[in-house]
Amino acid sequence: MLKRFLNRTILLLMGYLIISHTALADEALSYATNIGIDTLWVLIAAFLVFFMQAGFGMVEAGFIRAKNTCNILTKNFLDFCMASLGFFIFGYAIMFGSGNDFMGLSGWFMASPENPVDLPIFAFWLFQAAFCGAAATIVAGGMAERMKFQAYLIYSFIISAFIYPIIGHWIWGGGWLNKIGFADFAGSTVVHAVGGFAALIGTIILKPRLGKFNKDGSPNAIAGHNIPLASLGVFILWFGWFGFNPGSTLSVGNGTLISLVAMNTSLAAASGGILAMVAVWKKFGKPDLSMAMNGALAGLVAITAPCAFIEPWASIVIGGIAGILVVFAVILLDKLRIDDPVGAFPVHGVNGIWGTLSVGIFGQKALGLANDGLFYGGGLKQFFLQLLGVSSAVVFVLISMGLLFKIIDLTMGLRVSRDEELKGLDIGEHGMESYSGFQIFTTE
């Protein structure tokens, strides 16, 4: 009897150990599978954000004159090259390294870098580097057709290696804005307001293109040379934004959050395009395609901060307001005699602010926000946090980039010569033509 009892006990223990081991193995396998799926998702999103560089290039090339097309595309191409190296050497460490509330101070050259997420560090770096490149390339459009190429390369490296990562640390790297409850899900402030206001201060220092304004201050329209190219660029950007916003979840989960973010993203772009077209139609009597496209981009910029914290109906409101804002911001710049050839500041600067503030109006605590927005009975607490955050970022960008552009201007010079500008930067800066045999330039 005793022998039989011991045998049964041993068999039961062995069975329990086998079942426990199998359960643990299944759990480990499930965890590894989830990490693999999340990694694949983040990499696909990073590839989409990278593809947005092509979208920016097409939009900016289409909205400027043929004689400067090669120059603007070269700047877009080199932007990602400079951003990748700058973010590898300095940027990631400043943005996500351990340090203080202002900036990170560890992980230079990606040596023993901090990893704040449950993903391979390589995938997380690529995703963040793609965002960094997007912020840098916004400025190319605002300062197009008259900025020296070598000056642009210096700017591109500095903003990618230092300026963008510092603000990124404040908000996404555990810095002071993150600690007080400021929310920017995918970068209305971190990416778009940074790029938009860098473009604004740059184009102010650079001064308008020759012939843009008359002596009495009235503006002249300088038409872009290829609207179909710009249209293709807008579609590419809209497509890429499905990596930009949903990818910022950094996880697939059960699919609910990424689906909500994707839906909000597309609705905002649609309402932005429609409302911008209506506004410019009513103001000038024609449904301007270029303004409608900038309206869609404005909607995408505005929805980037609140996309995970709001219901779909709110995305339509946010995008629609963005579409109207971009029209009147373009008009305002003309009145102020500020020359922004592609509308970089109206799209990214103005609507980076609007999108950030909209979190405090339409955001919900139930969707992950620190406080309910004004519309949901939370008062103005979250709104003022958003206002403080975006204002701080804007002031920092205006001061730091203003100093950088001034130093460049006083040393190597920021602007090309009058003759180069008239002939076109393709010939003057690169010694080549975008459309060989069809080049047209003005000599007076």
Side-chain angles (χ1 to χ4, degrees):
M1 290 290 292
L2 179 62
K3 185 177 181 180
R4 195 177 290 176
F5 173 76
L6 289 174
N7 287 337
R8 286 181 179 178
T9 303
I10 291 170
L11 287 172
L12 286 170
L13 286 172
M14 289 177 65
Y16 174 76
L17 290 172
I18 291 170
I19 292 170
S20 299
H21 178 75
T22 303
L24 288 172
D26 287 345
E27 185 178 340
L29 180 61
S30 176
Y31 176 75
T33 301
N34 288 339
I35 293 297
I37 292 171
D38 290 344
T39 301
L40 179 61
W41 165 242
V42 171
L43 285 173
I44 291 172
F47 303 154
L48 286 171
V49 178
F50 168 76
F51 190 46
M52 290 173 72
Q53 293 289 138
F56 280 117
M58 298 300 97
V59 169
E60 292 169 5
F63 280 163
I64 63 170
R65 289 167 290 185
K67 63 183 180 179
N68 298 308
T69 305
C70 176
N71 177 261
I72 201 71
L73 291 175
T74 308
K75 287 173 179 174
N76 272 271
F77 177 75
L78 267 296
D79 259 326
F80 198 81
C81 298
M82 302 298 282
S84 295
L85 294 178
F87 198 70
F88 177 83
I89 298 168
F90 302 111
Y92 186 91
I94 292 171
M95 193 162 174
F96 295 106
S98 58
N100 52 51
D101 286 348
F102 183 76
M103 62 184 288
L105 298 168
S106 66
W108 311 107
F109 288 86
M110 293 297 291
S112 300
E114 299 283 337
N115 187 357
V117 297
D118 206 4
L119 292 169
I121 185 66
F122 316 110
F124 185 63
W125 178 87
L126 183 64
F127 185 72
Q128 294 298 333
F131 271 56
C132 181
T137 204
I138 290 168
V139 179
M143 302 178 72
E145 300 201 288
R146 72 267 202 214
M147 184 180 183
K148 284 185 176 180
F149 182 65
Q150 61 182 6
Y152 186 84
L153 292 181
I154 293 173
Y155 141 79
S156 183
F157 185 84
I158 297 297
I159 196 172
S160 303
F162 303 106
I163 308 304
Y164 169 83
I166 287 175
I167 293 174
H169 181 77
W170 294 356
I171 298 168
W172 292 340
W176 68 279
L177 286 176
N178 176 267
K179 290 179 179 177
I180 66 173
F182 175 84
D184 181 4
F185 186 76
S188 288
T189 290
V190 178
V191 177
H192 298 287
V194 168
F197 276 89
L200 176 66
I201 192 65
T203 194
I204 290 173
I205 294 172
L206 195 57
K207 297 183 173 55
R209 291 169 291 174
L210 296 174
K212 173 60 181 175
F213 295 102
N214 299 311
K215 291 183 179 180
D216 62 0
S218 59
N220 295 311
I222 301 179
H225 85 283
N226 196 327
I227 294 300
L229 191 65
S231 302
L232 175 63
V234 172
F235 277 115
I236 291 173
L237 287 171
W238 192 331
F239 177 63
W241 235 285
F242 292 124
F244 207 97
N245 288 359
S248 293
T249 60
L250 301 176
S251 173
V252 173
N254 65 5
T256 301
L257 181 57
I258 59 176
S259 302
L260 173 66
V261 172
M263 182 177 182
N264 285 340
T265 298
S266 201
L267 286 173
S271 62
I274 291 171
L275 266 293
M277 182 191 70
V278 170
V280 76
W281 199 345
K282 184 174 179 59
K283 182 74 176 175
F284 299 108
K286 296 289 183 181
D288 187 310
L289 173 59
S290 63
M291 198 64 81
M293 292 191 295
N294 266 345
L297 295 179
L300 289 164
V301 168
I303 202 61
T304 300
C307 57
F309 308 124
I310 61 169
E311 295 178 342
W313 69 266
S315 68
I316 297 174
V317 176
I318 292 167
I321 292 173
I324 295 170
L325 284 174
V326 77
V327 172
F328 289 96
V330 168
I331 294 171
L332 177 62
L333 287 189
D334 279 346
K335 289 182 177 179
L336 296 175
R337 301 188 68 177
I338 297 173
D339 184 14
D340 182 344
V342 306
F345 174 70
V347 170
H348 300 277
V350 171
N351 286 291
I353 291 177
W354 161 236
T356 303
L357 296 179
S358 73
V359 174
I361 300 172
F362 301 104
Q364 296 182 61
K365 191 173 182 179
L367 293 175
L369 199 59
N371 310 283
D372 278 323
L374 178 64
F375 193 84
Y376 288 90
L380 292 171
K381 182 177 181 181
Q382 190 66 44
F383 181 85
F384 283 127
L385 287 175
Q386 299 301 113
L387 181 61
L388 172 63
V390 73
S391 300
S392 301
V394 165
V395 169
F396 180 76
V397 169
L398 289 175
I399 293 173
S400 58
M401 295 309 301
L403 286 172
L404 174 63
F405 286 133
K406 270 296 183 184
I407 291 170
I408 293 174
D409 193 30
L410 293 172
T411 51
M412 67 175 60
L414 198 61
R415 184 166 180 152
V416 299
S417 68
R418 175 184 171 85
D419 285 346
E420 279 184 298
E421 185 174 345
L422 290 173
K423 288 183 178 180
L425 275 63
D426 288 4
I427 294 174
E429 293 274 70
H430 306 283
M432 60 191 304
E433 298 177 352
S434 299
Y435 305 99
S436 182
F438 296 92
Q439 185 70 43
I440 301 171
F441 56 85
T442 306
T443 55
E444 61 180 12

